Amino acid sequence: MERGLNTRCLHLEETEGKTEHYGALSYPIYQTATYAHPGAGKSTGYDYSRLQNPTREHLEKTVASLEGGIDAFALSTGMAAITLLMEIFEPGDHMIAEADLYGGSIRFFDNVSKKNHYEFTYLNCSKDDIEGAIKGNTKAIYIETPTNPMMNVSDIAAISRIAKKHNLLLIVDNTFLSPYFQNPLKLGADIVIHSGTKFLGGHNDTLAGFIVTNSDEIKEKLRFLIKTTGAGLSPFDSWLILRGMKTLGIRMEKSQENAIRIANWLKEQHIVKKVYYPGLPEHPGYEIIKRQARGFGSMITFDVDTKEHAWKIIESVRMIKFAESLGGVETLITYPTTQTHADVPDEVRIQNGITPCTLRLSIGIEDIEDLLAELSYVFHLPE
């Protein structure tokens, strides 16, 4: 019987009953670059920390357990994870990608991957015809669900059936829901991506990225590539993510509880024109996310009536911070036009629904009364 998610955030079954590391409950930070060998042709199991490090290995096994994968790869940032993943493809390969991706992913695909002669077709994968975009050189479908920042929800299992029919890889960025709320591999995905900086770390104090897979072939390719390209996560940062993950479940539950209250509050404000939150029954992806996930998350995007109101809100917050990140214990507000999606061309940004009136909230674990009081103050300042 598989153990619960909160238990797996804390314990690896393979280490139970052992008294290694002097019984330390906090997994040790093996802050070493290299390892001494007992003799020629002999190894302790670790040779050089670019290849592997005990702290990073423990983290990778924990993340793989949470996602239901056979292996995970911890990288220095989320973008480092995407960079490494793209190395499994060849020049001339074509990918279908979600149009409403995180702006940094689009920037990478359009300025680095295309330079390396990869082709991309961007679609709204929650409603556009994916199968009609498949070509002879198509190798993968790359999605986020929910998307960043417009919260579009794609049916992972349905897209997986398309991918398998055409012998394509399905890659899912699972950052917004984390493995606590959603497990794409169990729905038919081949690869899962995370910015570990966000919910997995949860404290806005380190950067990290993850790739998780349930394919032996992909595992072997990535294990070779991570030691060859050298962007593996450092021992100390691995420890910070391990520490953060111990409270993943209770953070996700509290943040979601706050988010549902705030999403409904936003709907009642006269300057708010639309709220994008998949936990609202009127959201077009509500039934899909109920079917494929265990929760709705704590990310909310909303449109106000004017750019001036948007700017007034971000310049007036006090406890809520105007900052470019998400998934931490603190509530943050982001202005996608000049922050997360600043490098996305204006026409593409507008087509995806991101306007100068669009704001994004990452809801934290503060007391809901304090969050609502701050928002009420900010929204009702005199003109």
Side-chain angles (χ1 to χ4, degrees):
M1 175 178 167
E2 187 175 69
R3 291 189 172 185
L5 282 162
N6 283 304
T7 301
R8 283 184 282 138
C9 284
L10 295 165
H11 304 285
L12 279 176
E13 286 191 68
E14 66 188 70
T15 66
E16 290 182 1
K18 297 181 180 180
T19 55
E20 299 171 319
H21 320 292
Y22 304 97
L25 288 181
S26 175
Y27 198 89
I29 305 168
Y30 283 87
Q31 194 64 50
T32 183
T34 193
Y35 307 81
H37 300 304
K42 300 177 182 178
S43 173
T44 61
Y46 301 94
D47 301 319
Y48 190 65
S49 278
R50 174 165 46 76
L51 282 66
Q52 190 52 289
N53 174 281
T55 314
R56 188 171 83 221
E57 183 178 60
H58 189 78
L59 171 61
E60 290 174 342
K61 287 180 176 179
T62 303
V63 173
S65 171
L66 292 175
E67 279 290 11
I70 61 171
D71 204 358
F73 303 82
L75 286 302
S76 58
T77 66
M79 291 311 304
I82 294 172
T83 301
L84 183 76
L85 178 60
M86 288 299 109
E87 291 297 325
I88 72 173
F89 299 104
E90 299 287 342
D93 286 351
H94 171 252
M95 276 165 263
I96 296 167
E98 167 61 52
D100 185 42
L101 291 176
Y102 162 58
S105 301
I106 295 173
R107 179 178 60 231
F108 179 80
F109 292 159
D110 286 351
N111 293 281
V112 178
S113 296
K114 284 187 178 179
K115 172 183 67 67
N116 294 333
H117 304 289
Y118 296 175
E119 297 179 42
F120 291 87
T121 297
Y122 293 105
L123 300 176
N124 180 333
C125 292
S126 66
K127 63 181 182 181
D128 290 344
D129 178 16
I130 294 174
E131 202 156 12
I134 295 172
K135 306 193 295 185
N137 60 335
T138 305
K139 302 298 181 182
I141 303 169
Y142 187 110
I143 66 172
E144 293 175 351
T145 181
T147 62
N148 182 3
M150 300 312 295
M151 307 304 292
N152 300 325
V153 174
S154 295
D155 188 327
I156 297 172
I159 296 174
S160 170
R161 288 192 291 270
I162 295 171
K164 286 177 169 50
K165 177 181 175 182
H166 296 274
N167 197 29
L168 309 178
L169 295 177
L170 175 57
I171 304 162
V172 181
D173 186 322
N174 197 31
T175 298
F176 267 22
L177 289 186
S178 89
Y180 183 78
F181 279 146
Q182 182 171 263
N183 299 121
L185 296 178
K186 294 182 178 181
L187 296 164
D190 301 287
I191 298 167
V192 169
I193 290 278
H194 283 281
S195 172
T197 308
K198 312 304 193 295
F199 291 103
L200 291 174
H203 292 79
N204 290 318
D205 57 8
T206 190
L207 303 174
F210 292 93
I211 307 171
V212 191
T213 186
N214 53 13
S215 161
D216 285 309
E217 181 183 358
I218 294 169
K219 166 190 170 179
E220 293 305 318
K221 287 181 180 179
L222 291 173
R223 193 53 68 190
F224 173 81
L225 287 166
I226 194 171
K227 75 175 182 180
T228 302
T229 56
L233 192 62
S234 74
F236 182 64
D237 290 313
S238 296
W239 180 84
L240 284 172
I241 300 294
L242 279 167
R243 184 187 63 170
M245 282 169 49
K246 290 183 177 183
T247 58
L248 176 64
I250 57 176
R251 287 188 287 104
M252 296 298 293
E253 294 284 1
K254 177 60 177 176
S255 295
Q256 176 178 250
E257 178 186 320
N258 286 346
I260 291 170
R261 290 278 302 275
I262 290 170
N264 281 291
W265 182 89
L266 287 168
K267 287 168 55 179
E268 303 301 320
Q269 307 311 304
H270 73 278
I271 68 169
V272 175
K273 297 306 173 186
K274 190 164 185 180
V275 179
Y276 307 88
Y277 179 65
L280 295 173
E282 62 268 29
H283 188 284
Y286 179 73
E287 293 300 329
I288 295 173
I289 202 169
K290 279 206 316 181
R291 185 170 66 246
Q292 71 184 16
R294 294 175 293 274
F296 306 108
S298 55
M299 300 300 301
I300 304 171
T301 297
F302 62 99
D303 293 331
V304 293
D305 52 358
T306 66
K307 173 183 173 182
E308 289 70 29
H309 271 141
W311 283 32
K312 190 173 186 179
I313 290 167
I314 59 179
E315 289 171 356
S316 303
V317 289
R318 299 169 300 178
M319 179 182 69
I320 297 170
K321 303 304 181 187
F322 174 37
E324 186 174 356
S325 193
L326 61 100
V329 291
E330 302 91 355
T331 297
L332 305 180
I333 192 165
T334 298
Y335 191 54
T337 296
T338 62
Q339 291 182 307
T340 56
H341 291 69
D343 291 329
V344 177
D346 290 346
E347 65 275 12
V348 174
R349 198 165 57 235
I350 296 297
Q351 182 180 351
N352 289 342
I354 305 168
T355 75
C357 301
T358 302
L359 294 166
R360 190 191 74 184
L361 280 166
S362 172
I363 308 301
I365 65 170
E366 299 94 341
D367 290 322
I368 187 61
E369 294 79 10
D370 295 325
L371 289 173
L372 290 174
E374 166 118 336
L375 289 169
S376 183
Y377 165 80
V378 169
F379 274 61
H380 297 102
L381 287 170
E383 298 294 333

